Amino acid sequence: MSLAERVSTLEEYDRWRDLSPNGGQNRKLSFNPVNTWLPPMNEENPVAAFEVSKAKRIVQIICAVIYCLFAAGIVFGYAAIKPVLIKEEVYREKCTEQEIEDGVRVCFYQEISLNFMFTVAAVSTNVAALPVGTILDRYGPRVSGLVGVFFLTAGCLFFAFAFQMPFDGYIPGYLFLALAGPFIFISSFQLSNAFPRYSGLILALLTGAFDTSSAIFLFYRLIYQASGGSFWPKKFFLAYLVVPAYILIVQLLVMPEKSYKTVGELVVQAEDNGLAHSDSDLLARAEDSATIERLRAERREHRESIVSEITELLGSKDAVEQTQKEEKKKHKSGVWGAMHGKTALQQIMSPWFVLVTLFTVVQMTRINYFVATIRPQYEYLLGDYSKAVQVNTFFDVALPLGGVISVPFIGLILDNSSTTFVLGLLVTIATMIGILGVIPQMWAAYANVCLFVVYRPLYYTTVSDYAAKVFGFATFGKVYGLIICLAGLFNFSQSGLDALTHQAFDSNPVPVNLILLGTALVVGVALVGYVWRKSKKMGRSGLEAEAQDAEERRIPAAAGGEREGLLNGESNGETRGRRYGGTDGVAASG
């Protein structure tokens, strides 16, 4: 089997590629939402992994896991740092004199301002996927990483000196910390191509590091409390500057300037080197036949060496078993190729896009709203501030752990289940979370947190998996980027939900949670129903196509047998008799 038949999780060679306008070009999965084909002079040519020593590639992966652990998603630890900011009286000046005299722990406008800081960060994290993809594709991972270093440094400085600034420095500080994450995290994805056979493990390590990074603020809060408040935010964020300094050094000295070649690019390189090449240039370089033969042998040895190194990097050249597994996954999904070959505009105008976008908008709003308001929600539901603190502390620990523990199980679910089943599972868990979130009991609170920390990574992974399977890799950057961008922008509605909870419902979170639950349930059922109906239709169409193909293959074979009989001097009757087992041609035909 040819190496070109190998299937990668990051790219695809399929029959739908020929239907796209650029189908003839080798295409890889891109995070660039404006992924038109860039002029060659502006593109960074990727490097083959075998051109870099194995030891250096291992060091690069270790370094990337470390800096993703400390910088990729720290803003999602907001629930852990929020009590510190309240203790330090951030935005306390927004409280009224009456609220201060009454000793209100957190006044309305203080709560709104703190949560708006997180909302801006959450929105920017999603919208940042737009420029990150473009910069990564055009300038390479090193430039993307250095942009992340700049944002991380700026965020630390703004937050450290926010209390001294003549304007609100906390919102831009948290915004820059959020922007740094995608530039640092997404640019590290290409390291999965450093060892293609272990790409899944590498991506799992990077994803696990991203999820765990939300615990950074938890550790800081514990240190803050242990120090009696002396290790205040200014000291922490100035000390935290060691992280962008580390990333800067690693990017300049260790990390690759260009992305590693994907599996498909290595396949093309291997097969190009395996083909015979013209010797016209050898004739121009040498005149005698002995020199030409020597140069020929050197060229052949070089090509064979490259093919050998690529084969060693990818594994066995015979990829039958792996390809069969990937084909089985595609068939099991039930929706693979539903919109492949369509233009991005056609895909965006389809119910496939509209329904999953509505689902993503509602669920992302619910997720970020819960992260931002978990303590005041349970303070009201449980009627006890100390119990709310216990739930908040449990959540701070469970959030990063849930992401790390669930990663391998999520992969198994997505690989071995239909997309309809996975979406149905999401809707079921989301509904359970909504129900548990309005029960004023400690057991319900802990159960709610446990489900939430598992649901969050499953939800994000399922949406990207859905986009790849339904819309294809050729438009992945545009379609998936637009889904996440729209969902992120809608997160600004969190401020309205906060105001509704505190003013219209007197801090009671139940009405807003029920509204979100009902909306999510309606949209979720609509999405699952549509996908189920379409997958059934696609399944029937697939069976009909297979039956037709089998019939078309049978008829030429039969016709070939008749032609063979006629060439051997048999009559049509004799040929049919021989085909159906008759010993006497005339008798069989009669």
Side-chain angles (χ1 to χ4, degrees), residues 166-218:
F167 57 89
D168 183 358
Y170 291 104
I171 289 180
Y174 215 68
L175 168 65
F176 286 135
L177 291 176
L179 289 174
F183 280 96
I184 292 169
F185 180 54
I186 295 178
S187 65
S188 65
F189 283 177
Q190 53 88 26
L191 290 174
S192 64
N193 296 315
F195 296 94
R197 281 189 287 176
Y198 305 102
S199 61
L201 174 61
I202 295 169
L203 288 173
L205 288 172
L206 293 171
T207 304
F210 173 84
D211 289 326
T212 309
S213 65
S214 62
I216 296 298
F217 285 155
L218 169 62

Side-chain angles (χ1 to χ4, degrees), residues 96-152:
T96 63
E97 292 183 3
Q98 184 63 46
E99 288 173 323
I100 294 175
E101 288 178 5
D102 293 343
V104 176
R105 187 179 296 105
V106 185
C107 69
F108 169 69
Y109 285 107
Q110 183 183 16
E111 176 77 13
I112 292 292
S113 299
L114 286 170
N115 290 346
F116 183 72
M117 179 184 75
F118 173 71
T119 298
V120 171
V123 170
S124 64
T125 300
N126 294 307
V127 177
L130 304 179
V132 171
T134 303
I135 292 173
L136 183 59
D137 285 353
R138 186 177 285 263
Y139 301 109
R142 177 173 292 175
V143 172
S144 179
L146 292 177
V147 172
V149 168
F150 169 78
F151 283 134
L152 195 61

Side-chain angles (χ1 to χ4, degrees), residues 245-556:
Y246 161 76
I247 300 174
L248 175 64
I249 294 171
V250 167
Q251 286 289 349
L252 295 176
L253 301 181
V254 180
M255 304 307 288
E257 180 182 0
K258 303 174 183 178
S259 298
Y260 283 119
K261 286 186 177 180
T262 63
V263 172
E265 289 166 328
L266 289 172
V267 164
V268 172
Q269 182 179 355
E271 296 195 333
D272 283 348
N273 280 280
L275 298 174
H277 293 268
S278 172
D279 291 337
S280 58
D281 60 326
L282 298 181
L283 296 175
R285 291 165 54 192
E287 296 180 357
D288 60 287
S289 58
T291 304
I292 292 174
E293 284 300 322
R294 180 175 57 81
L295 293 174
R296 229 180 238 159
E298 290 176 356
R299 174 175 288 180
R300 189 184 309 111
E301 184 179 349
H302 176 68
R303 290 201 305 264
E304 291 174 353
S305 173
I306 291 177
V307 172
S308 176
E309 289 176 314
I310 292 175
T311 302
E312 181 182 356
L313 190 66
L314 299 180
S316 172
K317 226 179 174 187
D318 184 2
V320 176
E321 185 178 351
Q322 180 183 352
T323 304
Q324 288 176 343
K325 287 181 180 178
E326 294 297 331
E327 289 297 327
K328 186 177 179 181
K329 292 176 188 176
K330 293 179 192 177
H331 178 73
K332 186 167 288 187
S333 74
V335 299
W336 178 269
M339 295 294 289
H340 289 201
K342 304 289 185 181
T343 65
L345 181 60
Q346 289 174 323
Q347 293 176 344
I348 290 169
M349 297 299 291
S350 70
W352 290 100
F353 177 86
V354 174
L355 288 172
V356 78
T357 301
L358 289 174
F359 182 73
T360 305
V361 164
V362 175
Q363 296 300 342
M364 189 178 291
T365 302
R366 291 183 69 194
I367 287 172
N368 290 329
Y369 179 68
F370 184 75
V371 171
T373 62
I374 180 172
R375 183 173 291 193
Q377 280 199 45
Y378 278 107
E379 184 177 358
Y380 183 94
L381 286 172
L382 301 175
D384 189 329
Y385 177 72
S386 61
K387 289 183 178 179
V389 171
Q390 292 176 29
V391 175
N392 196 159
T393 303
F394 177 71
F395 175 78
D396 294 336
V397 176
L399 184 63
L401 286 180
V404 174
I405 294 171
S406 63
V407 165
F409 299 102
I410 291 172
L412 289 173
I413 292 172
L414 293 176
D415 287 345
N416 297 284
S417 305
S418 68
T419 301
T420 304
F421 172 81
V422 176
L423 291 174
L425 181 64
L426 279 183
V427 174
T428 302
I429 297 176
T431 303
M432 293 174 64
I433 289 172
I435 294 172
L436 290 170
V438 297
I439 298 176
Q441 298 291 333
M442 281 294 286
W443 65 265
Y446 284 123
N448 189 23
V449 169
C450 290
L451 276 179
F452 178 88
V453 299
V454 173
Y455 173 80
R456 180 172 171 264
L458 175 62
Y459 152 76
Y460 281 111
T461 309
T462 299
V463 173
S464 61
D465 182 72
Y466 174 98
K469 288 176 178 175
V470 173
F471 303 113
F473 296 130
T475 57
F476 183 87
K478 292 178 182 177
V479 177
Y480 180 68
L482 185 58
I483 291 172
I484 297 301
C485 180
L486 292 174
L489 290 173
F490 196 80
N491 270 249
F492 278 121
S493 64
Q494 285 184 53
S495 296
L497 295 176
D498 272 337
L500 196 63
T501 300
H502 288 280
Q503 294 185 325
F505 301 121
D506 195 24
S507 298
N508 182 0
V510 173
V512 168
N513 283 334
L514 289 177
I515 291 171
L516 291 174
L517 169 61
T519 306
L521 184 59
V522 171
V523 174
V525 169
L527 174 63
V528 173
Y530 179 81
V531 172
W532 176 79
R533 184 167 58 86
K534 286 293 185 179
S535 64
K536 290 293 183 184
K537 185 177 179 181
M538 288 174 63
R540 287 195 299 269
S541 298
L543 291 175
E544 291 171 1
E546 288 178 6
Q548 185 176 355
D549 289 343
E551 181 67 19
E552 289 174 352
R553 285 195 298 270
R554 188 183 66 79
I555 292 173

